[in-house]
Amino acid sequence: MSYGKLEVLRGIDIDVMPSELVFVIGPSGSGKSTFLRCCNRLEEPATGEIIVDGTSITARGADLNAIRRRIGMVFQSFNLYPHLTAGGNVMLALRKVLGKPKAEARLIAEAALDRVGLADKIDNYPNQLSGGQQQRAAIARALALEPKIMLFDEPTSALDPELVGDVLNVMAELKKAGMTMVVVSHEMRFAKAAADRVIFMDGGVIVEQGAPADLFANPQHQRTRDFVRQVEH
Amino acid sequence: MDALLQQFFNFDIMMQASPIILRGFGMTLLLCLVVIPMGLLGGLAVALASLSPIRAVRWTTIVFVDLFRAIPPLALLIFVSAGLPFADIRISPFAAVCISFLLNNSAYYGEIYRSGIESIGSGQTDASRSTGLSATQTMAYVILPQAVRNVLPDLVSNTVEVVKLTSLASVVAFAELLYAADMARSVTYNASPITFAAVLYLIVLWPVVRLLSRLENKIEN
Protein backbone atom coordinates (compact mmCIF):
# COMPACT_ATOMS: atom_id res chain seq x y z
CA MET A 1 0.00 0.00 0.00
CA SER A 2 1.46 3.34 -0.93
CA TYR A 3 0.44 6.91 -1.67
CA GLY A 4 2.71 8.12 -4.43
CA LYS A 5 6.22 7.55 -3.15
CA LEU A 6 5.15 7.30 0.45
CA GLU A 7 4.81 3.70 1.45
CA VAL A 8 2.15 3.46 4.14
CA LEU A 9 2.03 -0.27 4.77
CA ARG A 10 4.82 -2.81 4.37
CA GLY A 11 4.89 -6.55 4.71
CA ILE A 12 1.52 -6.96 6.39
CA ASP A 13 0.86 -10.70 6.55
CA ILE A 14 -1.90 -11.83 8.85
CA ASP A 15 -4.68 -14.38 8.97
CA VAL A 16 -7.93 -13.71 10.76
CA MET A 17 -9.76 -16.87 11.87
CA PRO A 18 -13.52 -17.26 11.73
CA SER A 19 -15.18 -15.78 14.83
CA GLU A 20 -11.92 -14.19 15.86
CA LEU A 21 -11.84 -10.65 17.20
CA VAL A 22 -8.58 -9.04 16.14
CA PHE A 23 -7.78 -5.72 17.73
CA VAL A 24 -5.40 -3.34 15.97
CA ILE A 25 -3.65 -0.68 18.03
CA GLY A 26 -0.88 1.75 17.33
CA PRO A 27 -0.02 5.44 17.28
CA SER A 28 -1.83 7.70 14.81
CA GLY A 29 -0.27 7.54 11.37
CA SER A 30 0.84 3.96 11.95
CA GLY A 31 -1.30 2.74 9.05
CA LYS A 32 -4.02 0.90 11.01
CA SER A 33 -6.93 2.62 9.30
CA THR A 34 -5.30 2.18 5.91
CA PHE A 35 -4.83 -1.51 6.66
CA LEU A 36 -8.52 -1.80 7.53
CA ARG A 37 -9.60 0.08 4.39
CA CYS A 38 -7.50 -2.27 2.27
CA CYS A 39 -9.56 -5.18 3.61
CA ASN A 40 -12.56 -4.10 1.46
CA ARG A 41 -10.48 -2.18 -1.06
CA LEU A 42 -11.68 1.28 -0.15
CA GLU A 43 -7.92 1.75 -0.48
CA GLU A 44 -6.02 -0.02 -3.24
CA PRO A 45 -3.03 -2.02 -2.07
CA ALA A 46 -0.14 -1.55 -4.53
CA THR A 47 0.92 -5.17 -4.23
CA GLY A 48 -0.11 -8.26 -2.34
CA GLU A 49 -3.23 -10.35 -1.98
CA ILE A 50 -6.25 -10.12 0.31
CA ILE A 51 -8.50 -13.15 0.67
CA VAL A 52 -11.86 -12.90 2.42
CA ASP A 53 -13.89 -16.02 3.08
CA GLY A 54 -12.03 -17.95 0.39
CA THR A 55 -12.36 -15.25 -2.31
CA SER A 56 -9.42 -13.16 -3.41
CA ILE A 57 -10.62 -9.55 -3.38
CA THR A 58 -7.45 -8.29 -5.04
CA ALA A 59 -7.74 -10.65 -8.01
CA ARG A 60 -8.12 -9.07 -11.43
CA GLY A 61 -11.81 -8.91 -12.28
CA ALA A 62 -12.97 -9.59 -8.73
CA ASP A 63 -16.61 -8.51 -8.27
CA LEU A 64 -15.94 -5.82 -5.70
CA ASN A 65 -19.56 -4.92 -5.08
CA ALA A 66 -20.50 -8.54 -4.41
CA ILE A 67 -17.50 -8.95 -2.10
CA ARG A 68 -18.08 -5.72 -0.21
CA ARG A 69 -21.60 -6.52 0.88
CA ARG A 70 -20.18 -9.49 2.78
CA ILE A 71 -17.65 -7.26 4.53
CA GLY A 72 -19.39 -4.88 6.93
CA MET A 73 -17.65 -1.64 7.78
CA VAL A 74 -18.22 0.83 10.59
CA PHE A 75 -16.59 4.26 10.46
CA GLN A 76 -15.29 6.71 13.03
CA SER A 77 -17.69 9.43 11.90
CA PHE A 78 -20.66 7.00 11.43
CA ASN A 79 -21.27 8.18 7.84
CA LEU A 80 -25.01 7.64 8.07
CA TYR A 81 -26.91 9.05 5.09
CA PRO A 82 -28.46 12.24 6.54
CA HIS A 83 -31.27 12.35 3.96
CA LEU A 84 -32.59 8.93 4.96
CA THR A 85 -34.12 7.66 8.21
CA ALA A 86 -32.34 5.04 10.30
CA GLY A 87 -34.53 2.47 8.57
CA GLY A 88 -33.81 4.00 5.18
CA ASN A 89 -30.09 3.81 5.87
CA VAL A 90 -30.35 0.10 6.60
CA MET A 91 -32.70 -0.58 3.70
CA LEU A 92 -30.78 1.16 0.90
CA ALA A 93 -28.30 -1.64 0.14
CA LEU A 94 -30.95 -4.30 0.85
CA ARG A 95 -33.14 -2.76 -1.84
CA LYS A 96 -30.56 -1.65 -4.40
CA VAL A 97 -27.83 -4.28 -4.01
CA LEU A 98 -29.77 -7.36 -2.93
CA GLY A 99 -32.96 -6.30 -4.75
CA LYS A 100 -35.24 -7.11 -1.82
CA PRO A 101 -38.82 -5.86 -2.06
CA LYS A 102 -39.66 -2.94 0.22
CA ALA A 103 -41.68 -4.89 2.77
CA GLU A 104 -39.03 -7.55 3.21
CA ALA A 105 -36.24 -4.95 3.43
CA ARG A 106 -38.23 -3.16 6.12
CA LEU A 107 -38.56 -6.37 8.16
CA ILE A 108 -34.82 -6.99 7.91
CA ALA A 109 -34.13 -3.37 8.88
CA GLU A 110 -36.42 -3.70 11.92
CA ALA A 111 -34.58 -6.84 13.02
CA ALA A 112 -31.14 -5.26 12.49
CA LEU A 113 -32.08 -2.10 14.39
CA ASP A 114 -33.64 -4.19 17.15
CA ARG A 115 -30.34 -6.05 17.47
CA VAL A 116 -28.54 -2.79 18.29
CA GLY A 117 -31.32 -1.56 20.59
CA LEU A 118 -32.84 0.97 18.19
CA ALA A 119 -36.11 -0.71 17.21
CA ASP A 120 -38.05 2.42 18.14
CA LYS A 121 -35.81 4.74 16.07
CA ILE A 122 -36.46 3.22 12.65
CA ASP A 123 -38.25 6.32 11.38
CA ASN A 124 -35.89 8.86 12.94
CA TYR A 125 -33.41 10.79 10.86
CA PRO A 126 -29.72 10.72 11.86
CA ASN A 127 -29.85 14.30 13.17
CA GLN A 128 -32.55 13.19 15.63
CA LEU A 129 -30.22 10.53 17.10
CA SER A 130 -27.37 10.85 19.60
CA GLY A 131 -23.86 9.99 18.46
CA GLY A 132 -24.04 6.57 20.10
CA GLN A 133 -27.39 5.86 18.48
CA GLN A 134 -26.04 6.95 15.10
CA GLN A 135 -23.08 4.61 15.41
CA ARG A 136 -25.37 1.73 16.41
CA ALA A 137 -27.60 2.47 13.42
CA ALA A 138 -24.47 2.37 11.24
CA ILE A 139 -23.62 -1.04 12.73
CA ALA A 140 -27.18 -2.19 11.96
CA ARG A 141 -26.76 -0.97 8.36
CA ALA A 142 -23.71 -3.22 7.97
CA LEU A 143 -25.24 -6.16 9.87
CA ALA A 144 -28.39 -6.23 7.75
CA LEU A 145 -26.36 -7.53 4.82
CA GLU A 146 -25.28 -10.54 6.92
CA PRO A 147 -21.57 -9.94 6.50
CA LYS A 148 -18.97 -12.65 7.10
CA ILE A 149 -16.66 -10.15 8.74
CA MET A 150 -17.05 -6.72 10.30
CA LEU A 151 -14.41 -4.01 10.13
CA PHE A 152 -14.52 -1.28 12.77
CA ASP A 153 -12.49 1.88 12.12
CA GLU A 154 -12.20 3.69 15.47
CA PRO A 155 -15.93 3.22 16.11
CA THR A 156 -15.99 5.09 19.42
CA SER A 157 -13.42 7.84 18.83
CA ALA A 158 -15.99 10.46 17.85
CA LEU A 159 -18.34 9.70 20.76
CA ASP A 160 -18.84 11.46 24.06
CA PRO A 161 -17.44 9.23 26.83
CA GLU A 162 -20.87 8.37 28.26
CA LEU A 163 -22.03 7.02 24.88
CA VAL A 164 -19.05 4.75 24.27
CA GLY A 165 -20.43 1.94 26.44
CA ASP A 166 -23.57 1.37 24.33
CA VAL A 167 -21.53 0.88 21.17
CA LEU A 168 -19.01 -1.41 22.88
CA ASN A 169 -21.89 -3.48 24.31
CA VAL A 170 -23.25 -4.00 20.80
CA MET A 171 -19.79 -5.05 19.63
CA ALA A 172 -19.44 -7.47 22.57
CA GLU A 173 -22.81 -8.99 21.65
CA LEU A 174 -21.62 -9.46 18.07
CA LYS A 175 -18.49 -11.18 19.32
CA LYS A 176 -20.62 -13.50 21.46
CA ALA A 177 -22.74 -14.33 18.41
CA GLY A 178 -19.60 -15.49 16.61
CA MET A 179 -18.95 -12.58 14.26
CA THR A 180 -15.44 -12.28 12.82
CA MET A 181 -14.24 -8.78 13.61
CA VAL A 182 -11.23 -6.56 12.98
CA VAL A 183 -11.29 -3.52 15.24
CA VAL A 184 -9.05 -0.48 15.07
CA SER A 185 -9.57 1.36 18.33
CA HIS A 186 -8.00 2.93 21.39
CA GLU A 187 -10.41 1.25 23.82
CA MET A 188 -7.77 -0.79 25.63
CA ARG A 189 -10.15 -2.06 28.29
CA PHE A 190 -12.43 -3.44 25.61
CA ALA A 191 -9.41 -5.03 23.92
CA LYS A 192 -8.44 -6.79 27.15
CA ALA A 193 -11.97 -8.00 27.75
CA ALA A 194 -13.06 -9.07 24.27
CA ALA A 195 -10.14 -9.43 21.86
CA ASP A 196 -8.68 -12.80 20.92
CA ARG A 197 -5.57 -11.19 19.55
CA VAL A 198 -4.04 -7.73 19.62
CA ILE A 199 -1.85 -6.42 16.81
CA PHE A 200 0.44 -3.49 17.45
CA MET A 201 1.31 -1.49 14.33
CA ASP A 202 3.80 1.32 13.97
CA GLY A 203 5.29 2.95 10.90
CA GLY A 204 3.28 0.78 8.53
CA VAL A 205 4.50 -2.57 9.86
CA ILE A 206 3.19 -5.07 12.40
CA VAL A 207 5.60 -4.69 15.29
CA GLU A 208 4.16 -7.51 17.35
CA GLN A 209 1.00 -9.42 18.04
CA GLY A 210 -0.35 -11.73 20.66
CA ALA A 211 -3.13 -12.50 23.12
CA PRO A 212 -4.18 -9.31 24.89
CA ALA A 213 -3.01 -10.53 28.29
CA ASP A 214 0.48 -11.25 26.97
CA LEU A 215 0.84 -8.21 24.78
CA PHE A 216 -0.29 -5.73 27.41
CA ALA A 217 1.47 -7.35 30.37
CA ASN A 218 4.65 -8.41 28.65
CA PRO A 219 5.37 -6.53 25.41
CA GLN A 220 8.49 -7.75 23.61
CA HIS A 221 9.46 -4.61 21.69
CA GLN A 222 10.46 -1.24 23.04
CA ARG A 223 8.01 0.57 20.75
CA THR A 224 5.15 -1.58 22.05
CA ARG A 225 6.22 -1.00 25.65
CA ASP A 226 6.27 2.77 25.10
CA PHE A 227 2.86 2.77 23.45
CA VAL A 228 1.20 0.50 26.03
CA ARG A 229 2.60 2.61 28.86
CA GLN A 230 1.31 5.81 27.20
CA VAL A 231 -2.25 4.62 26.60
CA GLU A 232 -2.57 3.01 30.02
CA HIS A 233 -1.92 6.27 31.78
CA MET B 1 -49.46 62.40 -14.81
CA ASP B 2 -52.47 61.74 -16.97
CA ALA B 3 -50.21 61.21 -20.00
CA LEU B 4 -48.17 58.73 -18.01
CA LEU B 5 -51.26 56.72 -17.06
CA GLN B 6 -52.45 56.91 -20.68
CA GLN B 7 -49.12 55.69 -21.99
CA PHE B 8 -48.31 52.91 -19.53
CA PHE B 9 -51.45 51.92 -17.64
CA ASN B 10 -54.17 52.20 -20.26
CA PHE B 11 -56.60 49.49 -19.21
CA ASP B 12 -58.63 49.59 -22.46
CA ILE B 13 -55.55 48.99 -24.55
CA MET B 14 -54.48 46.16 -22.25
CA MET B 15 -57.88 44.54 -22.75
CA GLN B 16 -57.65 44.95 -26.49
CA ALA B 17 -54.18 43.43 -26.56
CA SER B 18 -54.98 40.67 -24.08
CA PRO B 19 -55.72 37.85 -26.59
CA ILE B 20 -52.34 38.21 -28.28
CA ILE B 21 -50.52 38.79 -24.99
CA LEU B 22 -52.11 35.78 -23.31
CA ARG B 23 -51.18 33.65 -26.31
CA GLY B 24 -47.61 34.94 -25.93
CA PHE B 25 -47.78 34.14 -22.22
CA GLY B 26 -48.77 30.58 -23.13
CA MET B 27 -45.78 30.33 -25.46
CA THR B 28 -43.47 31.59 -22.69
CA LEU B 29 -44.80 28.93 -20.33
CA LEU B 30 -44.34 26.30 -23.03
CA LEU B 31 -40.79 27.49 -23.63
CA CYS B 32 -40.06 27.28 -19.89
CA LEU B 33 -41.49 23.77 -19.72
CA VAL B 34 -39.05 22.71 -22.44
CA VAL B 35 -35.85 24.64 -21.67
CA ILE B 36 -35.84 24.29 -17.88
CA PRO B 37 -35.98 20.46 -17.76
CA MET B 38 -33.50 20.34 -20.66
CA GLY B 39 -31.15 22.65 -18.80
CA LEU B 40 -31.49 20.72 -15.53
CA LEU B 41 -30.71 17.41 -17.28
CA GLY B 42 -27.94 18.89 -19.43
CA GLY B 43 -26.45 20.51 -16.33
CA LEU B 44 -26.46 17.19 -14.51
CA ALA B 45 -24.62 15.59 -17.43
CA VAL B 46 -22.10 18.46 -17.42
CA ALA B 47 -21.56 18.12 -13.65
CA LEU B 48 -21.00 14.37 -13.87
CA ALA B 49 -18.63 14.84 -16.82
CA SER B 50 -16.70 17.50 -14.91
CA LEU B 51 -16.07 14.94 -12.14
CA SER B 52 -15.14 12.16 -14.55
CA PRO B 53 -12.05 10.09 -13.75
CA ILE B 54 -11.00 10.53 -17.40
CA ARG B 55 -8.90 13.65 -17.77
CA ALA B 56 -9.87 14.35 -21.39
CA VAL B 57 -13.56 14.36 -20.43
CA ARG B 58 -12.92 16.72 -17.52
CA TRP B 59 -10.94 19.14 -19.67
CA THR B 60 -13.50 19.14 -22.44
CA THR B 61 -16.15 19.92 -19.87
CA ILE B 62 -14.14 22.80 -18.44
CA VAL B 63 -13.81 24.31 -21.92
CA PHE B 64 -17.54 23.82 -22.56
CA VAL B 65 -18.53 25.45 -19.27
CA ASP B 66 -16.12 28.37 -19.64
CA LEU B 67 -17.18 28.99 -23.23
CA PHE B 68 -20.92 29.02 -22.65
CA ARG B 69 -20.74 30.99 -19.43
CA ALA B 70 -18.67 33.66 -21.17
CA ILE B 71 -20.73 34.03 -24.36
CA PRO B 72 -23.68 36.41 -23.90
CA PRO B 73 -26.84 34.30 -24.28
CA LEU B 74 -28.28 36.78 -26.78
CA ALA B 75 -25.17 36.53 -28.98
CA LEU B 76 -25.38 32.76 -28.76
CA LEU B 77 -29.04 32.76 -29.78
CA ILE B 78 -28.45 35.01 -32.78
CA PHE B 79 -25.43 32.95 -33.75
CA VAL B 80 -27.46 29.72 -33.68
CA SER B 81 -30.49 31.08 -35.49
CA ALA B 82 -28.63 33.16 -38.09
CA GLY B 83 -25.48 31.09 -38.35
CA LEU B 84 -26.80 27.56 -38.82
CA PRO B 85 -28.63 28.32 -42.11
CA PHE B 86 -25.20 29.07 -43.60
CA ALA B 87 -24.28 25.47 -42.81
CA ASP B 88 -27.44 24.45 -44.66
CA ILE B 89 -29.18 23.57 -41.43
CA ARG B 90 -32.63 25.14 -41.30
CA ILE B 91 -34.26 25.25 -37.91
CA SER B 92 -37.30 26.96 -36.49
CA PRO B 93 -36.93 29.88 -34.08
CA PHE B 94 -38.22 27.56 -31.36
CA ALA B 95 -35.45 25.02 -32.04
CA ALA B 96 -32.84 27.79 -32.16
CA VAL B 97 -33.99 29.01 -28.75
CA CYS B 98 -33.94 25.46 -27.33
CA ILE B 99 -30.41 24.75 -28.60
CA SER B 100 -28.87 27.99 -27.39
CA PHE B 101 -30.65 27.73 -24.02
CA LEU B 102 -29.50 24.14 -23.62
CA LEU B 103 -25.87 25.17 -24.16
CA ASN B 104 -26.06 28.19 -21.88
CA ASN B 105 -28.18 26.61 -19.12
CA SER B 106 -26.23 23.35 -19.02
CA ALA B 107 -23.09 25.33 -18.25
CA TYR B 108 -24.73 27.27 -15.40
CA TYR B 109 -26.79 24.44 -13.90
CA GLY B 110 -23.73 22.17 -14.29
CA GLU B 111 -21.59 24.41 -12.09
CA ILE B 112 -24.33 24.48 -9.45
CA TYR B 113 -24.68 20.70 -9.35
CA ARG B 114 -20.92 20.31 -9.27
CA SER B 115 -20.51 22.53 -6.22
CA GLY B 116 -23.34 20.56 -4.57
CA ILE B 117 -21.71 17.21 -5.30
CA GLU B 118 -18.36 18.48 -4.05
CA SER B 119 -19.98 19.61 -0.79
CA ILE B 120 -20.68 15.99 0.17
CA GLY B 121 -17.90 14.42 2.23
CA SER B 122 -16.04 11.31 1.08
CA GLY B 123 -17.34 9.40 4.11
CA GLN B 124 -20.73 9.10 2.39
CA THR B 125 -19.11 7.38 -0.58
CA ASP B 126 -17.07 5.13 1.74
CA ALA B 127 -20.21 4.04 3.56
CA SER B 128 -22.18 3.44 0.39
CA ARG B 129 -19.44 1.56 -1.44
CA SER B 130 -18.72 -0.55 1.66
CA THR B 131 -22.27 -1.90 1.50
CA GLY B 132 -21.81 -2.97 -2.11
CA LEU B 133 -23.48 -0.11 -3.96
CA SER B 134 -21.81 0.68 -7.29
CA ALA B 135 -20.34 4.08 -8.09
CA THR B 136 -23.43 4.93 -10.15
CA GLN B 137 -25.85 3.82 -7.43
CA THR B 138 -23.84 5.79 -4.88
CA MET B 139 -24.19 8.91 -7.02
CA ALA B 140 -27.92 8.37 -7.60
CA TYR B 141 -29.09 7.37 -4.13
CA VAL B 142 -26.54 8.85 -1.73
CA ILE B 143 -24.67 11.80 -3.21
CA LEU B 144 -27.13 13.52 -5.56
CA PRO B 145 -30.13 13.69 -3.19
CA GLN B 146 -27.94 15.46 -0.61
CA ALA B 147 -26.14 17.58 -3.21
CA VAL B 148 -29.38 18.84 -4.76
CA ARG B 149 -30.78 19.68 -1.34
CA ASN B 150 -27.63 21.66 -0.50
CA VAL B 151 -27.80 23.77 -3.67
CA LEU B 152 -31.59 23.99 -4.04
CA PRO B 153 -31.62 27.80 -3.55
CA ASP B 154 -29.02 28.21 -6.31
CA LEU B 155 -30.97 25.92 -8.64
CA VAL B 156 -34.19 27.88 -8.03
CA SER B 157 -32.39 31.20 -8.39
CA ASN B 158 -30.89 30.15 -11.72
CA THR B 159 -34.30 28.94 -12.87
CA VAL B 160 -35.75 32.39 -12.19
CA GLU B 161 -33.01 33.82 -14.41
CA VAL B 162 -33.85 31.30 -17.13
CA VAL B 163 -37.54 32.25 -17.07
CA LYS B 164 -36.61 35.91 -17.51
CA LEU B 165 -34.11 35.08 -20.25
CA THR B 166 -36.83 33.38 -22.33
CA SER B 167 -37.77 36.93 -23.39
CA LEU B 168 -34.62 36.83 -25.55
CA ALA B 169 -36.56 34.53 -27.88
CA SER B 170 -38.42 37.65 -29.10
CA VAL B 171 -35.25 38.62 -30.98
CA VAL B 172 -35.60 35.63 -33.33
CA ALA B 173 -39.34 36.31 -33.83
CA PHE B 174 -40.55 33.57 -31.53
CA ALA B 175 -43.96 34.80 -30.41
CA GLU B 176 -43.48 34.55 -26.65
CA LEU B 177 -44.77 37.04 -24.08
CA LEU B 178 -42.40 39.94 -24.66
CA TYR B 179 -42.58 39.54 -28.46
CA ALA B 180 -46.38 39.60 -28.32
CA ALA B 181 -46.43 42.60 -26.01
CA ASP B 182 -44.00 44.52 -28.19
CA MET B 183 -46.11 43.74 -31.26
CA ALA B 184 -49.14 45.12 -29.47
CA ARG B 185 -47.15 48.16 -28.42
CA SER B 186 -46.08 48.96 -31.99
CA VAL B 187 -49.63 48.54 -33.28
CA THR B 188 -51.26 50.65 -30.56
CA TYR B 189 -48.43 53.19 -30.17
CA ASN B 190 -48.88 52.63 -26.46
CA ALA B 191 -46.61 51.00 -23.84
CA SER B 192 -49.43 49.54 -21.76
CA PRO B 193 -49.08 46.04 -23.31
CA ILE B 194 -45.48 46.00 -22.04
CA THR B 195 -46.75 46.85 -18.56
CA PHE B 196 -49.24 44.02 -18.91
CA ALA B 197 -46.44 41.60 -19.86
CA ALA B 198 -44.29 42.77 -16.93
CA VAL B 199 -47.21 42.14 -14.57
CA LEU B 200 -47.56 38.60 -15.94
CA TYR B 201 -43.84 37.92 -15.38
CA LEU B 202 -44.26 39.30 -11.88
CA ILE B 203 -47.24 37.06 -11.14
CA VAL B 204 -45.29 33.99 -12.15
CA LEU B 205 -41.95 34.85 -10.57
CA TRP B 206 -42.88 36.66 -7.39
CA PRO B 207 -44.03 33.52 -5.54
CA VAL B 208 -40.88 31.74 -6.70
CA VAL B 209 -38.66 34.57 -5.47
CA ARG B 210 -40.54 34.52 -2.13
CA LEU B 211 -39.98 30.78 -1.87
CA LEU B 212 -36.32 31.36 -2.63
CA SER B 213 -35.94 33.79 0.27
CA ARG B 214 -37.57 31.28 2.58
CA LEU B 215 -35.32 28.49 1.34
CA GLU B 216 -32.25 30.64 1.88
CA ASN B 217 -33.35 31.54 5.40
CA LYS B 218 -34.07 27.91 6.18
CA ILE B 219 -30.61 26.84 5.08
CA GLU B 220 -28.93 29.63 7.04
CA ASN B 221 -30.63 28.42 10.21
Side-chain angles (χ1 to χ4, degrees):
Chain A
M1 174 67 214
S2 56
Y3 292 110
K5 279 196 181 143
L6 178 69
E7 230 183 357
V8 182
L9 295 178
R10 270 172 294 130
I12 305 285
D13 184 5
I14 69 162
D15 291 308
V16 178
M17 298 299 147
S19 299
E20 192 181 16
L21 194 167
V22 173
F23 214 87
V24 184
I25 60 171
S28 63
S30 60
K32 8 183 239 306
S33 284
T34 306
F35 160 65
L36 204 63
R37 290 168 63 86
C38 281
C39 294
N40 63 354
R41 273 181 70 188
L42 282 184
E43 304 282 356
E44 287 293 339
T47 57
E49 188 174 27
I50 299 163
I51 298 172
V52 177
D53 193 31
T55 312
S56 171
I57 70 166
T58 44
R60 204 184 282 263
D63 184 353
L64 262 191
N65 296 328
I67 289 163
R68 279 182 176 145
R69 66 176 190 243
R70 301 164 66 208
I71 306 173
M73 188 158 196
V74 175
F75 302 87
Q76 179 175 0
S77 47
F78 327 137
N79 298 351
L80 284 181
Y81 314 131
H83 62 301
L84 299 177
T85 60
N89 268 271
V90 180
M91 286 160 65
L92 183 63
L94 292 171
R95 305 267 340 259
K96 302 303 176 187
V97 179
L98 300 184
K100 303 251 187 230
K102 196 170 183 180
E104 190 188 344
R106 171 106 187 166
L107 285 178
I108 297 171
E110 280 169 1
L113 286 167
D114 187 40
R115 208 168 157 191
V116 299
L118 292 176
D120 56 331
K121 302 291 186 194
I122 188 164
D123 292 321
N124 285 83
Y125 284 89
N127 64 10
Q128 299 166 321
L129 303 176
S130 73
Q133 290 170 334
Q134 287 188 50
Q135 190 59 298
R136 284 184 283 149
I139 293 174
R141 176 173 66 185
L143 279 181
L145 296 165
E146 299 183 351
K148 295 282 181 182
I149 180 169
M150 289 279 286
L151 310 172
F152 291 84
D153 189 5
E154 307 208 20
T156 56
S157 300
L159 295 177
D160 293 333
E162 74 273 18
L163 302 174
V164 169
D166 288 343
V167 172
L168 292 182
N169 286 342
V170 167
M171 290 168 66
E173 287 297 320
L174 280 180
K175 163 70 181 153
K176 254 190 241 166
M179 178 64 75
T180 311
M181 298 159 77
V182 180
V183 181
V184 169
S185 169
H186 298 292
E187 299 291 337
M188 296 304 156
R189 259 191 300 173
F190 182 72
K192 281 178 193 167
D196 296 302
R197 181 159 44 128
V198 177
I199 291 177
F200 173 69
M201 284 180 71
D202 193 14
V205 298
I206 294 178
V207 176
E208 73 177 281
Q209 52 179 312
D214 297 337
L215 190 123
F216 287 123
N218 191 17
Q220 298 299 307
H221 288 75
Q222 186 59 42
R223 277 191 287 179
T224 321
R225 272 196 285 279
D226 292 344
F227 181 76
V228 169
R229 196 179 315 125
Q230 265 175 16
V231 292
E232 295 211 315
H233 288 282
Chain B
M1 186 64 196
D2 216 32
L4 185 82
L5 284 177
Q6 269 303 316
Q7 191 58 31
F8 289 95
F9 301 96
N10 190 320
F11 194 69
D12 291 337
I13 286 185
M14 286 187 196
M15 280 297 100
Q16 270 175 16
S18 65
I20 177 176
I21 287 182
L22 289 177
R23 204 174 313 128
F25 183 54
M27 294 308 271
T28 289
L29 291 182
L30 175 73
L31 198 54
C32 290
L33 283 178
V34 175
V35 297
I36 291 169
M38 267 173 44
L40 284 168
L41 282 176
L44 187 56
V46 166
L48 294 176
S50 75
L51 299 165
S52 162
I54 304 159
R55 188 184 298 178
V57 175
R58 278 200 312 272
W59 285 17
T60 311
T61 315
I62 290 171
V63 172
F64 175 91
V65 169
D66 282 4
L67 190 65
F68 289 110
R69 287 209 301 177
I71 295 178
L74 181 55
L76 180 62
L77 174 59
I78 293 172
F79 185 79
V80 169
S81 81
L84 284 183
F86 283 100
D88 256 353
I89 302 169
R90 308 222 159 261
I91 53 171
S92 66
F94 181 72
V97 173
C98 288
I99 291 171
S100 54
F101 270 61
L102 176 65
L103 295 172
N104 180 260
N105 292 345
S106 299
Y108 277 97
Y109 280 125
E111 284 298 281
I112 296 172
Y113 283 120
R114 190 178 59 80
S115 73
I117 291 169
E118 285 178 342
S119 73
I120 309 301
S122 65
Q124 292 290 308
T125 304
D126 284 349
S128 169
R129 298 307 302 274
S130 78
T131 58
L133 270 81
S134 69
T136 311
Q137 288 175 321
T138 299
M139 184 54 77
Y141 303 122
V142 175
I143 306 298
L144 273 182
Q146 300 182 55
V148 167
R149 195 168 60 176
N150 285 358
V151 294
L152 197 56
D154 299 309
L155 287 174
V156 175
S157 169
N158 195 55
T159 303
V160 169
E161 291 305 311
V162 172
V163 172
K164 289 188 284 187
L165 278 179
T166 56
S167 61
L168 291 183
S170 58
V171 174
V172 293
F174 180 77
E176 48 70 65
L177 178 55
L178 188 66
Y179 184 86
D182 200 46
M183 286 264 289
R185 182 195 58 79
S186 64
V187 170
T188 58
Y189 295 105
N190 188 295
S192 300
I194 302 289
T195 310
F196 191 4
V199 169
L200 289 177
Y201 279 117
L202 190 69
I203 289 172
V204 171
L205 290 179
W206 185 67
V208 185
V209 175
R210 256 315 57 232
L211 174 80
L212 186 60
S213 297
R214 293 188 60 175
L215 271 177
E216 281 163 349
N217 283 332
K218 203 174 135 193
I219 287 197
E220 267 170 37
N221 298 333

